[in-house]
Amino acid sequence: MAPRTPLPATPSAEPAAPTGPTLGRRRFLAYVAAGAGLTMVGRFAGSSAPAHAFPQPADVLDLSDILQLSHASNVMDFLIRITPENRVYIETPKAEVGQGITTAMAMIVAEELDARLADVDSQLSPAEPDRIVQLTGGSNSIILFWTPVRLVAALLRTRIVTAAADALGVPAGDLVTRDTAVHAPDGRSVTYAEVADAAARVTLPDTPPRLKDEADYTIVGTPTGRLDARDIVTGRAAYAADRGVGQALPTVVKRPPQIKAPVRSFDDTAARAMPGVIAVTEIPTGIAVTAETFDIALRARDAIRVDWGPGALAGVSDAEITEQLEAALVPSLVPTLVGDVLEGRFAFPYVSHAPLETNSATADVRADSAEVWAAAKSPIKLAQDVAEAAGLPVDAVTMHVVRGGGSFGRKLWSDAGLEAAQVSKAIGRPVRLMWDRNDDMRHSRTRPASVHVVRALLGGGRVLRYEHRMSCAAMDATHGLGEAITANGEAMFPGGFGQSIWHTTQKLNYDVGPVTHLLSETELHIPTSAWRSVYSGASGAVNEMMIDEIARALGRDPVEYRLAELTNPRMRAVVEKVAEEGGWGGTLPEGVAQGVAVHDEYKAAAAYLVEIDTRGPEPRVTKAVCAADIGKVINPTGAAAQLQGCLIDGLSVMLRAGLHVDDGAIREGSYADFRWARMRHAPIECDVHLIDSGEPPGGAGELGVPAASGAVGNAWARATGRPARRFPLMEHGGA
Amino acid sequence: MTDTTISRTRSTPRVIPFELNGERISVTAPPETPLLWVLRDVLGVTGPKFGCGVGVCGACTSHIDGEAARMCITPVASVAGKRVTTIEGLADGDDLHPVQQAWIDEDVAQCGFCQPGQIMNAAAFLARNPAPDDAAIDEAMSDNVCRCGTYCRIRSAIKRAAAGG
């Protein structure tokens, strides 16, 4: 197999138990690892002892406050290495699926280390199963890493300066670090690489590690393009299915017409007779075909005759699903007969994640080891699954986390990686396994379908009480995060992981009296997953559409109402900004209207203003403005990209795209019928205004979906004069 | 239930010569084989991506004699004697094509998976219409899906390239 990580992830030296003061409940360790050059690893304590390293008591720092800030007590480490070529090589234990984490991490390290950004090689860490959890989700990467990464870089810089002082014969306090080198007042300088070995032996730095003053930043906060942009625009960027061409054999899986239907029997005679077919393998999810090319594999797949048993939802269609979800709604406590009650009932279909890269992975399972390449957001879970399937100990599995072609929550699951390993083990050859688009629509995961009932009790010109009941198909969270949180004793709410997430994310920051949000989940056997912004994508949009209806019922302007009744100043600020930038309150032709919505989550807040023109054959979002307060911004360009993407998600889900279920099968098969927005449906411009509130970094990746969705719903309702109730609106016309 | 499937056999392989990214090559393949799989699996040219296989997403878009075409629905025999350019062949050595440079300058890509196809479509479009308005961009670029939602930046990059960078 050709692809390998450029450098071994684990340095070699004798392990020693970490020592040092325990400050609070947890500790944070930064330690120098021996080996060529200088490598520093940061690790949250609480996992097994860091292997192959020399912990330094002086390097033990208290980060309990940072852990408090993180959404989960993630235990993960990251690595910074100065190479002999004076490159700064960093590994982040996250997936890169377009959110820009590799660029943001490089910026933070370069800033704190005083390295040139162009000198940083930012890579993804392979799975390391001794981490309790290695997971990309919940928009928490920057929240989690912001301080620890800077601390490790600062420690590294201190060591380098100490070694340079020795080499140059100049007191450390007189030296300046700049451009990946240490400079003396007399003009002499040494590169970091030149003193790396000496720096690794430093036991007591000459100067205490101090975080750089944020006022001196030249990289963090500066608009920066993706570091891998050139690879992407030249076609060199390699995704899972691009790996191992020529060695790993193209493989596809024949899957059933209905969801989760078992194979009763099959006849592969014709398929096996086709030139170029190498193997036909029955695996738990279907019949895998391995061939010399994907063209042959796809044709051979179609030539297999299968007698399928009934699927898990045979006989179930949309109507039955809606019926079940409505029956599971928790009854409202606001009586409809008393006072002035405003009620809204909303319904969302299942929605595919539909990343442009279908589920794909490369795997090479041998007798005593296995190697897998996948864009896994939960790679430890995949490594464990592969180990079990291959009959190997988990430490015999090397799990490379490779660049992913979009995720939106889908790549929390790595079914393709497991399937590839199953086939590779069975046939004794490396394989490249790829789902075709029909598979990815019909057998992949979905945002759970949901119905919502909201009641607001009005009196004296205001809201006295607000209730939101959401009933949805159960969201599957068995990808590793749920277990990790439970293992850490943080499942605070009875009813499991979904309830924990629900109760920690649902809030309504308006002066509307007592608020209750209740969730009921029903297992309906259509595979689900968190979908960008999890429950809030639907529930947050619903709240914001109700706020518009409440404002209307009270005779108030939607923006004025928000500015008056929002209890969160960060939310008020972003609403004010979009109203100002978007020209709220102007005169528009009939059939054209603006809508505004706001949401806070991930220690951040975002508002959108969108303008919709409903006069043509299809509603068109003609204008969009976003304002967001995500606290400290690492990369304004990357953050804006996320918020622009969330707008397209919002308008697609609210207006255009949804899945249908017919007799236990998903109807949609590709982008022709899953009508995700294209260029002609997107606004000409989508300006994003980032507001500096002085808060620490929040999460931007998922933040925008609820507000963007709510704003689209509100604009559509104002343009058509009809309430937005069932989605996508182009299909249901609102009702 | 038993599904009804049709065995899709291919014709006898034949030698098909064409020019790929400036190099004259020939492949031996059944003539109706989609060019995408010849490029990716036989020739190891992985810039064109598989996104749908039926010509509705544009991720495999490349050029045939300078015109944008979808490799997943282009039979290999149809390019016999023609010039095929994939994203790998768009730049002139280390000198990026203006559209590639505009994509970097506008920081268009997020996950990047669709972008080779978007860039190839945009490059062919601008060659045809060097000063497009928004309606023309809508028309030309709506054949390509970007699931990350980079459309506003794609539009800006096209305008930037049209304006000469």
Side-chain angles (χ1 to χ4, degrees):
Chain A
M1 298 292 296
R4 300 268 170 188
T5 45
L7 288 165
T10 314
S12 57
E14 284 305 304
T19 57
T22 302
L23 303 169
R25 195 162 60 88
R26 290 178 182 278
R27 293 172 303 164
F28 179 74
L29 304 175
Y31 53 89
V32 168
L38 175 57
T39 300
M40 186 158 259
V41 178
R43 165 166 290 210
F44 293 108
S47 66
S48 56
H52 315 304
F54 301 112
Q56 309 278 325
D59 293 343
V60 178
L61 300 166
D62 176 23
L63 276 185
S64 55
D65 52 342
I66 298 306
L67 286 156
Q68 292 295 326
L69 279 174
S70 70
H71 291 178
S73 293
N74 287 351
V75 179
M76 44 178 68
D77 51 17
F78 50 89
L79 174 155
I80 307 174
R81 172 178 297 149
I82 308 296
T83 74
E85 298 77 30
N86 206 36
R87 304 285 299 170
V88 180
Y89 173 85
I90 67 173
E91 274 186 5
T92 303
K94 291 282 178 179
E96 173 64 84
V97 290
Q99 82 275 38
I101 189 65
T102 40
T103 298
M105 288 291 279
M107 292 172 70
I108 297 171
V109 170
E111 182 72 72
E112 198 62 46
L113 201 55
D114 286 332
R116 277 187 301 237
L117 187 57
D119 289 342
V120 181
D121 295 320
S122 187
Q123 300 292 331
L124 303 173
S125 166
E128 290 186 14
D130 66 340
R131 292 170 179 148
I132 290 178
V133 61
Q134 179 174 345
L135 183 129
T136 309
S139 292
N140 80 343
S141 296
I142 295 294
I143 295 172
L144 179 72
F145 283 130
W146 168 239
T147 295
V149 166
R150 286 182 300 149
L151 284 167
V152 171
L155 286 163
L156 192 53
R157 179 163 46 91
T158 302
R159 287 172 169 279
I160 289 166
V161 169
T162 301
D166 208 29
L168 295 166
V170 175
D174 294 345
L175 296 172
V176 175
T177 46
R178 187 179 66 242
D179 297 340
T180 330
V182 186
H183 303 267
D186 58 13
R188 288 178 302 148
S189 66
V190 288
T191 67
Y192 289 178
E194 285 167 340
V195 293
D197 286 337
R201 292 191 301 271
V202 167
T203 51
L204 189 64
D206 288 354
T207 55
R210 268 186 43 209
L211 289 182
K212 197 167 172 178
D213 188 336
E214 293 184 22
D216 296 333
Y217 283 178
T218 59
I219 298 171
V220 166
T222 304
T224 304
R226 290 188 67 94
L227 297 184
D228 53 0
R230 194 178 173 99
D231 284 348
I232 289 172
V233 305
T234 54
R236 278 200 299 267
Y239 301 80
D242 301 333
R243 309 232 163 198
V245 172
Q247 294 130 25
L249 298 167
T251 301
V252 296
V253 178
K254 188 176 182 77
R255 298 176 202 277
Q258 291 180 324
I259 292 168
K260 296 179 185 168
V263 174
R264 282 186 180 137
S265 64
F266 68 97
D267 177 0
D268 61 358
T269 316
R272 285 180 182 278
M274 292 169 71
V277 171
I278 290 161
V280 177
T281 313
E282 186 171 359
I283 58 174
T285 43
I287 314 290
V289 183
T290 303
E292 287 170 7
T293 67
F294 275 107
D295 177 55
I296 300 167
L298 288 163
R299 285 186 292 114
R301 174 199 67 179
D302 292 347
I304 297 173
R305 300 178 66 85
V306 184
D307 179 18
W308 300 100
L313 290 97
V316 174
S317 298
D318 285 329
E320 288 79 14
I321 288 168
T322 305
E323 205 172 290
Q324 284 198 55
L325 293 178
E326 284 181 347
L329 278 163
V330 179
S332 175
L333 295 175
V334 174
T336 48
L337 298 175
V338 179
D340 191 3
V341 172
L342 196 63
E343 183 185 85
R345 303 179 78 93
F346 302 83
F348 293 88
Y350 285 98
V351 179
S352 174
H353 298 81
L356 211 66
E357 176 195 31
T358 60
N359 249 330
S360 303
T362 293
D364 184 9
V365 176
R366 296 170 293 264
D368 54 356
S369 65
E371 209 164 355
V372 182
W373 291 259
K377 293 175 83 175
S378 195
I380 295 174
K381 176 77 165 71
L382 175 57
Q384 290 163 344
D385 289 348
V386 167
E388 193 182 330
L392 292 168
V394 72
D395 60 8
V397 178
T398 305
M399 169 65 236
H400 304 279
V401 181
V402 302
R403 165 197 307 280
S407 169
F408 319 102
R410 177 61 184 85
K411 288 182 168 73
L412 287 163
W413 310 87
S414 297
D415 357 27
L418 177 58
E419 290 177 344
Q422 289 164 342
V423 175
S424 177
K425 178 180 167 63
I427 71 173
R429 305 276 296 272
V431 302
R432 283 192 292 145
L433 186 140
M434 189 192 73
W435 291 32
D436 83 355
R437 179 56 60 187
N438 285 179
D439 295 342
D440 214 78
M441 286 280 170
R442 297 186 171 129
H443 295 280
S444 190
R445 295 195 175 252
T446 57
R447 178 167 102 169
S450 63
V451 298
H452 307 247
V453 175
V454 182
R455 284 185 188 171
L457 180 63
L458 311 181
R462 53 190 311 104
V463 182
L464 305 173
R465 183 168 177 174
Y466 184 97
E467 279 188 357
H468 183 157
R469 304 284 190 258
M470 173 170 174
S471 169
C472 71
M475 191 188 72
D476 193 344
T478 55
H479 47 60
L481 178 60
E483 291 91 323
I485 288 182
T486 305
N488 283 331
E490 293 183 15
M492 293 171 285
F493 297 91
F497 181 70
Q499 292 291 336
S500 297
I501 291 285
W502 173 258
H503 285 284
T504 51
T505 57
Q506 302 304 305
K507 54 193 168 180
L508 191 68
N509 294 297
Y510 287 90
D511 187 5
V512 289
V515 174
T516 56
H517 282 98
L518 289 179
L519 170 72
S520 35
E521 294 193 288
T522 306
E523 180 49 69
L524 292 173
H525 302 293
I526 292 175
T528 58
S529 175
W531 195 102
R532 197 176 196 175
S533 82
V534 201
Y535 299 109
S536 300
S539 64
V542 162
N543 284 337
E544 282 296 298
M545 290 186 285
M546 280 305 291
I547 290 295
D548 253 43
E549 295 191 22
I550 287 165
R552 196 171 304 126
L554 297 175
R556 311 264 297 268
D557 173 83
V559 167
E560 178 276 319
Y561 180 85
R562 284 180 172 82
L563 293 176
E565 307 296 339
L566 277 166
T567 55
N568 175 336
R570 298 177 80 178
M571 295 172 78
R572 277 203 301 272
V574 292
V575 169
E576 204 156 28
K577 186 70 177 172
V578 294
E580 181 191 317
E581 296 287 343
W584 176 260
T587 308
L588 295 167
E590 200 175 322
V592 182
Q594 294 186 338
V596 165
V598 61
H599 184 72
D600 82 311
E601 204 171 334
Y602 312 107
K603 305 184 186 309
Y608 287 81
L609 175 148
V610 303
E611 191 169 299
I612 288 187
D613 185 344
T614 60
R615 295 171 300 177
E618 290 187 351
R620 167 101 191 234
V621 172
T622 49
K623 173 174 165 177
V625 178
C626 173
D629 169 3
I630 59 169
K632 182 79 188 171
V633 181
I634 312 305
N635 183 5
T637 314
Q642 291 303 298
L643 292 156
Q644 290 168 331
C646 287
L647 172 78
I648 301 299
D649 282 8
L651 79 86
S652 295
V653 168
M654 299 299 280
L655 296 175
R656 309 187 53 81
L659 299 175
H660 295 79
V661 181
D662 305 313
D663 188 17
I666 302 283
R667 182 188 304 169
E668 283 72 20
S670 194
Y671 295 108
D673 43 11
F674 185 68
R675 297 181 296 178
W676 204 257
R678 293 165 182 256
M679 181 64 89
R680 69 164 66 96
H681 311 119
I684 303 300
E685 285 171 0
C686 177
D687 286 340
V688 176
H689 303 271
L690 297 173
I691 291 175
D692 182 4
S693 60
E695 297 289 329
E702 304 171 81
L703 171 68
V705 174
S709 302
V712 169
N714 288 338
W716 186 90
R718 286 162 55 84
T720 61
R722 299 198 298 272
R725 288 288 184 262
R726 286 186 71 196
F727 309 94
L729 290 162
M730 275 172 54
E731 176 179 347
H732 299 290
Chain B
M1 77 198 79
T2 305
D3 59 349
T4 320
T5 50
I6 302 158
S7 176
R8 288 193 289 153
T9 53
R10 293 273 191 245
S11 313
T12 310
R14 75 163 100 119
V15 177
I16 299 151
F18 61 100
E19 187 183 306
L20 176 63
N21 295 332
E23 197 183 336
R24 297 180 65 85
I25 63 162
S26 66
V27 296
T28 305
E32 60 273 60
T33 306
L35 185 52
L36 178 64
W37 302 121
V38 173
L39 291 170
R40 289 184 57 85
D41 295 343
V42 179
L43 301 170
V45 176
T46 56
K49 304 300 182 200
F50 171 85
C52 70
V54 294
V56 300
C57 83
C60 61
T61 305
S62 302
H63 295 173
I64 299 171
D65 285 346
E67 290 291 326
R70 286 142 184 228
M71 298 296 99
C72 71
I73 51 170
T74 298
V76 63
S78 72
V79 300
K82 297 190 176 179
R83 270 185 305 121
V84 175
T85 309
T86 68
I87 188 73
E88 288 92 340
L90 187 63
D92 181 7
D94 283 342
D95 294 336
L96 295 180
H97 185 280
V99 171
Q100 290 172 308
Q101 188 58 51
W103 245 248
I104 292 177
D105 294 341
E106 292 290 333
D107 197 36
V108 171
Q110 290 186 32
C111 84
F113 196 84
C114 76
Q115 302 297 352
Q118 303 272 9
I119 290 167
M120 294 307 280
N121 195 16
F125 165 56
L126 283 170
R128 217 169 51 237
N129 182 351
D133 60 13
D134 283 320
I137 293 173
D138 279 357
E139 177 65 27
M141 295 305 295
S142 288
D143 292 341
N144 291 61
V145 175
C146 173
R147 176 62 186 83
C148 296
T150 65
Y151 299 121
C152 293
R153 294 191 185 190
I154 289 174
R155 187 186 301 275
S156 302
I158 288 172
K159 290 177 179 175
R160 179 189 281 264

